[in-house]
Amino acid sequence: MVLEIIKDRELWDSFVDASTYGLLFHKWDYITITAQHAGYRLLPYGIYKREELVCLAPLYLKSTHGVRILFSPPPMQAVVPYQGFVPGKSFDTLKLGKKEEIMDLVAGDLSAEIDTISPHYFSLTLVPGLTDVRQFLWRGYDPKVHYTYVVDISRPIEKVWSDFHYKLRNKLRKAEKAGMNLVRSADISTLYASLAERFSRPEMKIPMVGRRYFEELFRAYPDHLAAYYLYDREGALTGAVATQEYKRFLLWIGTPRIEGVHAGNEYLQWLLIQRAKAEGYSYLENIGANTPDLNFFKSRFCSSLGIYMEVFQKDAVGTLAEWAYSNVINKPWLKRRFVPYID
């Protein structure tokens, strides 16, 4: 195996397009824009077996006050929930033994490079479906399990509807009679204003991502990123959400419930489930199962939980830095004074 930095955008994106596990989060413009706005150095690794490119691994490196951290994805208030490496298009067709062989080679090459970089804290969070992390565990990494809500929309829409909580179905019937209007837009200004208020609260763990980050992503992927706004008969906004529509239909970033609005966000999600099914998607993913405050709202729609894996490693310096951030830097009173939340 040979690991090297890839500089060819077309090679990178064609590999992502072909892979079952390649998502918009992995595309070239996406990772370069993310690195720039998160303040990390991008390391777009490719792993070769002889002459064949078998895996991509975008990693992000940063050194702050002598602490080196290496992530994929970088921590950005769950805006990029997972990323990690992308195996080749033939990976799913291989027998288990061949898959294990490739995973062992990938883990070996990445581990060697990580040892060379020698970060104090390392984290790699894989996309849903890539759950075999044994090869990393055998090399001393620790695992962590994350969850995501999944709605199976390959079934008849009546079956999807019947899986909803009965109180939710009652709310949706009332909302349908209210005559709401769904608008798909590339304008994120209204969505961002609501997000800025939500994420600028001092108790949030990570400062809000700047508006220009979202604007650049929307310009780079106008066919795959969208803001959906739901309006009532009087033209008042009742709900808003950003989606990713590339291989999988992701309810990506939602806004808080709008005060005084009844079932706006619920009805918006139901309309998007129907839209995703009509466009031929097999399932819809509703990111946010790891946030306790969102569980009650989101679980009423979903037929199942998906899982995705993180592997991480930290030394004494990384452990101390993590403790300092959680217990000192992240204190609300300190963030109110020093952290700029929005542009």
Side-chain angles (χ1 to χ4, degrees), residues 132-144:
D132 184 3
V133 296
R134 291 172 295 163
Q135 293 77 9
F136 286 92
L137 305 187
W138 296 334
R139 288 170 170 83
Y141 296 89
D142 293 312
K144 186 181 293 185

Side-chain angles (χ1 to χ4, degrees), residues 21-26 30 78-82 127-128 148-151 153 184 218 224-228 241-254 269 272-273 276 279 281-288 298 308:
Y21 302 98
L23 299 181
L24 204 62
F25 295 124
H26 299 112
Y30 209 110
V79 169
V80 186
Y82 39 68
V127 301
T148 187
Y149 287 118
V150 178
V151 183
I153 54 176
R184 187 182 195 273
F218 270 68
H224 301 302
L225 294 179
Y228 286 93
V241 67
T243 64
Q244 290 195 20
E245 302 168 26
Y246 170 78
K247 297 185 184 178
R248 310 174 182 183
F249 198 103
L250 305 183
L251 298 185
W252 178 33
I253 304 173
Q269 183 161 323
L272 290 178
I273 288 172
E279 293 181 357
Y281 290 92
S282 297
Y283 72 88
L284 176 143
E285 182 182 342
N286 194 351
I287 296 170
K298 296 194 174 190
Y308 56 99

Side-chain angles (χ1 to χ4, degrees), residues 174-339:
K174 293 178 181 178
E176 186 174 18
K177 294 177 182 177
M180 297 185 186
N181 180 40
L182 180 67
V183 176
R184 187 182 195 273
S185 174
D187 181 3
I188 66 164
S189 55
T190 302
L191 177 69
Y192 185 83
S194 180
L195 290 173
E197 178 186 0
R198 172 182 174 184
F199 287 128
S200 64
R201 296 169 187 168
E203 66 271 16
M204 299 302 284
K205 291 183 178 180
I206 304 170
M208 176 59 185
V209 179
R211 174 173 174 168
R212 284 176 295 173
Y213 173 68
F214 294 104
E215 290 174 339
E216 289 187 29
L217 288 178
F218 270 68
R219 281 196 297 269
Y221 301 103
D223 296 330
H224 301 302
L225 294 179
Y228 286 93
Y229 300 109
L230 187 66
Y231 298 93
D232 65 17
R233 284 194 178 114
E234 287 70 42
L237 183 68
T238 62
V241 67
T243 64
Q244 290 195 20
E245 302 168 26
Y246 170 78
K247 297 185 184 178
R248 310 174 182 183
F249 198 103
L250 305 183
L251 298 185
W252 178 33
I253 304 173
T255 60
R257 182 185 297 274
I258 297 174
E259 293 295 329
V261 174
H262 182 70
N265 281 348
E266 289 93 338
Y267 191 57
L268 172 58
Q269 183 161 323
W270 169 229
L271 291 178
L272 290 178
I273 288 172
Q274 296 176 78
R275 184 186 183 99
K277 179 170 178 59
E279 293 181 357
Y281 290 92
S282 297
Y283 72 88
L284 176 143
E285 182 182 342
N286 194 351
I287 296 170
N290 301 297
T291 306
D293 292 345
L294 300 178
N295 291 164
F296 177 73
F297 170 78
K298 296 194 174 190
S299 64
R300 294 177 299 166
F301 288 90
C302 294
S303 53
S304 63
L305 273 176
I307 67 170
Y308 56 99
M309 298 299 300
E310 176 186 359
V311 291
F312 67 95
Q313 194 174 67
K314 53 188 175 182
D315 63 13
V317 174
T319 300
L320 180 60
E322 182 183 44
W323 179 89
Y325 181 84
S326 300
N327 294 279
V328 180
I329 300 172
N330 197 39
K331 290 296 184 183
W333 67 268
L334 192 62
K335 289 180 71 176
R336 284 193 190 97
R337 185 170 182 179
F338 293 109
V339 177

